[in-house]
């Protein structure tokens, strides 16, 4: 075990971060300094059950030996390689991605985050269609950069930075009639999440996804599926696959490289063909470290049966939380290991109570807590979660 | 029972709510407080200082 600071002093860590960083985050009162499998440890050595995997990224858990060894090997070999050069590691990663790409999405652009992947998708949609406008969904979340923010719905995120990309409209979630009214010949793309994560874990119906596909296809617009949070954790690589809908563009990030920064924008051949050479790029996108991290992650997800495990455990967790019959729970919903528990009261006290009991979960909107655990959870971790929920939810 | 969001005027179904509960508007996501349960009357929920959201 190693730590960067000379001694594990929470106060010293807090002082350094508060002195040198813009105060953009509401910080919890712990410093996470170590992880092992499905557990995290704070600076006082307290162990926490990780039910959030740092916003859905650490799907292989923490300090996974195979993952760590692969990155160490890549660091000792070649860590950086701009896209103006070919890379054997990047090629291997792209070959592996091709085995799970939705039908027809044969071309990729690699970046460093979900927001970057969304930015690329929006730019590519404009280039491919020659149209300016975007249609997004109310309660949708796509990122914090200016383009992604324009298609993100929450005014809390948007207001300080307006005006945003002007040709953007938000329509109600899961409402085919509203989409029908909004999509016209000026629309470059509709962007949506198959399951709205940040908003509270709301799965879109297969019917509304099919309507989005039909309407965009009929009217010459593209369909962008945002699988940044849903990707890899709903029992299959892509949540939208269950609906039978194939988008024109798919974006993902988060779990793709087990927490190493990465973004991916997958497009069809026609979309890729519309992009002039040099029209878009990234200094760090497609670097060998990220590609090696992604390669190891994708292979592990497949070879360790983690898609199947997320489906099985997710179903058990949803059923067992419902089975608690807790009075303060309004609803439990989700797919695989992407679960939302909606309460009848504000969620922050429950987040605090669970943290005190050694379980870390995330908020999703004002009244919902969200479970995005590492996919390496086993039955023991589910039992630990339920024990804490029994005490917390009453 | 149907409630109306005071922020965006969206009408949506509510069932089994109690006075004082917090419900998010399904369209604009704003936090609403159930001021009265029968008939349903909604108001903007008081601001809360902390937010552990993303």
């Amino acid at each position: 075990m190693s730590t960067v600071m000379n001694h594990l002093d929470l106060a010293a860590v807090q002082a350094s971060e508060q002195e040198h960083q813009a105060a953009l985050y509401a910080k919890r009162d712990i410093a996470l300094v170590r992880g092992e499998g499905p557990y995290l440890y704070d600076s006082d050595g307290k162990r926490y059950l990780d039910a959030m995997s740092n916003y859905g990224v650490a799907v292989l858990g923490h300090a996974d030996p195979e993952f760590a060894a692969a990155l160490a090997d890549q660091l000792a070999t070649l860590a950086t390689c701009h896209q103006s050069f070919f890379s054997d590691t990047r090629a291997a990663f792209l070959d592996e991605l091709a085995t799970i790409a939705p039908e027809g999405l044969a071309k990729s652009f690699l970046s460093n985050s979900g927001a970057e992947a969304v930015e690329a998708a929006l730019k590519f949609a404009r280039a491919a269609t020659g149209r300016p406008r975007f249609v997004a969904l109310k309660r949708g979340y796509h990122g914090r950069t200016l383009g992604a923010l324009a298609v993100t719905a929450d005014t809390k995120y948007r207001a300080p930075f307006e005006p945003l990309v002007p040709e953007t409209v938000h329509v109600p979630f899961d409402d085919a009639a509203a989409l029908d009214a909004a999509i016209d010949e000026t629309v470059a793309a509709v962007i949506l999440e198959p399951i709205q994560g940040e908003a509270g874990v709301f799965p879109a119906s297969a019917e509304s996804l099919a309507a989005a596909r039909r309407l965009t296809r009929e009217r010459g617009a593209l369909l962008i599926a945002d699988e940044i949070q849903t990707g890899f954790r709903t029992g299959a690589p892509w949540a939208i696959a269950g609906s039978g809908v194939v988008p024109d563009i798919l974006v993902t990030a988060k779990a793709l490289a087990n927490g190493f920064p990465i973004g991916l924008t997958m497009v069809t051949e026609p979309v890729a063909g519309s992009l002039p050479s040099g029209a878009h790029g990234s200094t760090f996108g497609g670097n060998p470290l990220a590609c090696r991290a992604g390669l190891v992650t994708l292979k592990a997800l497949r070879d360790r049966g983690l898609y199947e495990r997320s489906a099985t455990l997710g179903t058990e967790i949803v059923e067992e939380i419902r089975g608690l019959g807790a009075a303060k729970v309004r609803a439990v919903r989700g797919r695989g290991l992407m679960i939302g528990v909606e309460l009848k009261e504000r969620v922050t006290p429950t987040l605090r109570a669970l943290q005190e009991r050694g379980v870390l979960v995330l908020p999703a909107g004002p009244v919902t807590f969200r479970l995005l655990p590492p996919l390496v959870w086993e039955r023991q971790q589910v039992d630990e979660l339920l024990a804490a929920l029994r005490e917390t939810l009453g | 029972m149907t409630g109306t969001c005071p922020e965006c005027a969206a009408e949506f179904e509510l069932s089994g709510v109690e006075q004082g509960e917090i419900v998010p508007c399904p369209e604009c996501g704003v936090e609403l407080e159930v001021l009265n349960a029968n008939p349903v009357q909604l108001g903007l929920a008081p601001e809360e200082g902390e937010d552990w959201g993303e």
Side-chain angles (χ1 to χ4, degrees), chain A residues 26-376:
Chain A
K27 297 268 197 180
R28 303 195 194 197
D29 54 354
I30 59 174
L32 297 175
V33 300
R34 186 169 72 88
E36 186 174 352
Y39 301 104
L40 289 160
Y41 297 82
D42 71 14
S43 53
D44 291 328
K46 179 177 175 179
R47 190 182 84 166
Y48 299 86
L49 175 64
D50 184 2
M52 53 103 190
S53 64
N54 274 311
Y55 285 85
V57 306
V59 284
L60 303 184
H62 304 284
D64 179 85
E66 181 185 3
F67 186 76
L71 287 197
D73 178 72
Q74 192 63 49
L75 265 176
T77 304
L78 183 66
T80 67
C81 177
H82 188 262
Q83 288 266 24
S84 51
F85 301 93
F86 291 104
S87 156
D88 58 338
T89 309
R90 189 185 307 128
F93 178 49
L94 290 169
D95 285 342
E96 185 68 30
L97 276 173
T99 67
I100 60 168
E103 182 183 350
L105 271 65
K107 300 292 188 183
S108 291
F109 173 76
L110 292 166
S111 59
N112 309 286
S113 70
E116 287 184 48
V118 170
E119 294 293 327
L122 299 177
K123 289 176 71 173
F124 296 171
R126 276 192 165 178
T129 62
R131 301 175 177 186
R133 292 179 68 236
F134 300 105
V135 174
L137 303 188
K138 293 187 178 182
R139 293 188 321 201
Y141 180 91
H142 300 287
R144 307 290 197 115
T145 49
L146 279 180
L149 194 56
V151 291
T152 289
D154 197 328
T155 55
K156 170 181 67 180
Y157 300 134
R158 298 163 56 92
F161 309 105
E162 291 176 331
L164 302 171
V165 175
E167 295 88 0
T168 304
V169 61
H170 290 88
V171 301
F173 175 72
D174 225 29
D175 187 334
L179 272 179
D180 190 1
I183 303 172
D184 61 19
E185 70 282 355
T186 68
V187 171
V190 171
I191 181 168
L192 53 78
E193 301 155 87
I195 303 174
Q196 290 191 325
E198 194 64 24
V201 189
F202 294 98
S205 67
E207 294 74 23
S208 70
L209 292 172
R213 176 69 285 183
R214 175 179 56 79
L215 291 166
T216 48
R217 191 160 278 149
E218 283 175 359
R219 299 174 192 180
L222 302 183
L223 180 61
I224 302 172
D226 180 341
E227 298 250 16
I228 291 169
Q229 188 169 146
T230 50
F232 312 103
R233 64 169 48 252
T234 65
W238 315 119
I240 202 168
S243 68
V245 167
V246 180
D248 300 294
I249 301 175
L250 183 145
V251 298
T252 194
K254 289 193 186 286
L256 175 60
N258 191 37
F260 195 92
I262 195 167
L264 171 66
T265 307
M266 305 184 89
V267 302
T268 62
E269 296 262 16
V271 172
S274 71
L275 304 173
S277 177
H280 192 64
S282 167
T283 297
F284 297 109
N287 70 80
L289 264 181
C291 290
R292 187 72 175 270
L295 179 62
V296 172
T297 301
L298 290 180
K299 287 186 172 181
L301 288 169
R302 182 191 65 220
D303 296 343
R304 300 185 200 177
L306 297 183
Y307 295 124
E308 295 80 7
R309 190 186 302 187
S310 68
T312 301
L313 284 185
T315 299
E316 291 176 11
I317 292 170
V318 168
E319 289 176 355
E320 293 182 43
I321 294 177
R322 289 175 178 159
L324 295 176
K328 64 173 69 174
V329 173
R330 187 192 308 281
V332 187
R333 50 183 175 256
R335 191 180 308 161
L337 287 177
M338 181 177 178
I339 296 166
V341 181
E342 182 176 333
L343 305 179
K344 299 177 182 177
E345 60 188 39
R346 284 204 165 97
V347 71
T348 299
T350 298
L351 301 180
R352 287 191 175 283
L354 285 169
Q355 181 172 304
E356 288 169 9
R357 286 166 175 78
V359 178
L360 297 178
V361 302
L362 294 174
V367 298
T368 301
F369 68 86
R370 182 174 23 162
L371 305 173
L372 299 175
L375 306 192
V376 296

Side-chain angles (χ1 to χ4, degrees), chain A residues 26 138 144 330 346 352, chain B residues 21 27 31 46 50-51 54:
Chain A
K138 293 187 178 182
R144 307 290 197 115
R330 187 192 308 281
R346 284 204 165 97
R352 287 191 175 283
Chain B
E21 281 191 35
E27 289 216 0
E31 297 176 39
E50 286 196 344
D51 178 3
E54 187 166 8

